Amino acid sequence: MSANVAPGVAARPTSYSSAQIMLHWVMAAMIVFQVVMGENIGPAWLAFRDGTTPAEADLFAANVHVAVGMGVFALAVIRIFLRVTHGAPPLPAGQSRLQTTIAHAVHAILYLVIVAMPISGAIAWFGGVEIAGTVHHFAKPVIVIAVALHVVGALVQHFVKKTDVLRRMIRPERHAA
Ligand code: HEM
Ligand code: HEM
């Protein structure tokens, strides 16, 4: 409940580290790629499900989706470790409770996406579990809405509220209040 730092826990950093920033943008590009190109795995997925052999190009497209998705999972593990050990700067002062709640909820959904999407995809692809593929499939609109809210939030912070929220996800140095 309290905003105080618990004994033994490091104070919140004033900025994200370079590694956190790099991971954020590399993973953002990977997620956009996965969502935009996601349907390319469809033909190979249907072929496996129906017990037929997919065309070589379809299998290649599927392998790209699987490899990039597994890469997201590997980077997510590193990212969550850094989030726990380094922490994150506090949200700007003077935000409404509603704004803070939305920002935190969207971040939680995005963390869920980078962990649960590779896992559900892998269970579907390697385990042939169709229900996991269905969950994976229906997650797409949720991801699109969460990323859209996230991007609008970042742009409003930068251009309307003129806070350093976007800048601190671009450059690691300390920013004056
Ligand atoms: C962050 C990582 C991932 C994202 C954002 C993602 C996103 C997507 C999207 C948008 C689709 C197309 C859904 C549709 O409109 O039909 C899809 C399909 C699929 N993906 Fe992924 N994916 C990820 C990782 C993976 C991984 C690691 C695997 C396998 C190891 C995988 C396996 C599949 C399969 C089998 C389908 C077809 C499922 C179906 O349409 O029913 N995905 N993915
Ligand atoms: C597309 C996939 C994306 C994912 C999965 C993603 C994920 C995340 C997550 C989980 C955080 C919270 C970090 C933390 O404090 O623990 C975050 C922060 C942030 N993201 Fe993204 N992001 C994405 C795209 C973008 C884009 C396109 C922009 C730019 C408009 C952006 C701008 C930011 C900013 C400015 C922050 C820092 C927020 C703050 O310091 O309070 N993100 N992102």
Side-chain angles (χ1 to χ4, degrees), residues 24 27-28 31 72 76 79-80 102-118 142-151:
H24 175 272
M27 291 178 77
I31 298 289
V72 167
R79 180 161 176 186
I80 290 167
I102 294 174
H104 285 157
V106 170
H107 289 171
I109 292 172
L110 294 174
Y111 274 119
L112 188 65
V113 164
I114 60 180
V115 173
M117 284 305 280
V142 178
I143 302 174
V144 171
I145 292 169
V147 170
L149 280 173
H150 184 63
V151 171

Side-chain angles (χ1 to χ4, degrees), residues 31 34-35 38-39 41-42 45 65-66 69-70 72 113-114 117-118 121-122 124-126 133-134 136-137 140 143:
I31 298 289
Q34 289 296 84
V35 171
E39 278 168 32
I41 194 175
W45 169 243
H65 184 84
V66 170
M70 301 299 280
V72 167
V113 164
I114 60 180
M117 284 305 280
W125 185 252
F126 297 117
T134 307
H136 194 81
H137 170 89
K140 182 175 171 177
I143 302 174

Side-chain angles (χ1 to χ4, degrees), residues 65-83:
H65 184 84
V66 170
V68 175
M70 301 299 280
V72 167
F73 185 75
L75 295 181
V77 172
I78 301 173
R79 180 161 176 186
I80 290 167
F81 174 78
L82 291 177
R83 179 66 172 78

